[in-house]
Structure formats: structure tokens, C-alpha cells
Amino acid sequence: MRLQEFWGQLRDQFGDVRGEAIARDHVFSAFDGRTAVGAIENGVPVRTVWLAICEEFDVPAQAR
């Protein structure tokens, strides 16, 4: 998954404002207390971050 796809999926699933907030403000225990953006900046694969968001926010399997 590319970063552009990641942002597109976030917008599609959560809307512009909420998707942005989830990525930049929500702290994930899966990333040792980092945000999704922080995890990506620290080298966590984008797909891994997307799947963690899906798990945390109960995104349906067909949207993952």
C-alpha cells in the first residue's frame, strides 16, 4: 500500500476531518504510543498502519 492510497482509504472510510484526526491525533498501543503518522515516519509499513487502524476502529473486512 502506498501512502497516497492510505490517505484515500482513510478519507473514504472516515471522511476528511475524522480520517485526518485518526491519523495525526489518535495514539495506538500497537505502535508503542505513537500516532499512525508517527509510526509511518518511524518506518512502520503503511499497510501495517492501515490494518491497525482497521482493527482499532472495527472497519469491516471488505474495506480493509
Side-chain angles (χ1 to χ4, degrees):
M1 172 179 260
R2 293 183 173 152
L3 192 55
Q4 184 176 359
E5 292 173 289
F6 169 80
W7 287 108
Q9 290 283 26
L10 268 175
R11 280 188 222 95
D12 291 347
Q13 191 63 42
F14 300 105
D16 291 340
V17 175
R18 186 166 183 233
E20 185 83 17
I22 288 169
R24 297 192 186 280
D25 300 330
H26 186 81
V27 174
F28 292 85
S29 60
F31 306 132
D32 299 324
R34 291 177 287 181
T35 64
V37 170
I40 291 169
E41 288 173 349
N42 284 298
V44 177
V46 176
R47 180 80 176 149
T48 301
V49 173
W50 172 245
L51 292 175
I53 290 171
C54 291
E55 187 68 30
E56 183 93 5
F57 289 92
D58 296 322
V59 173
Q62 66 271 18
R64 294 180 185 203

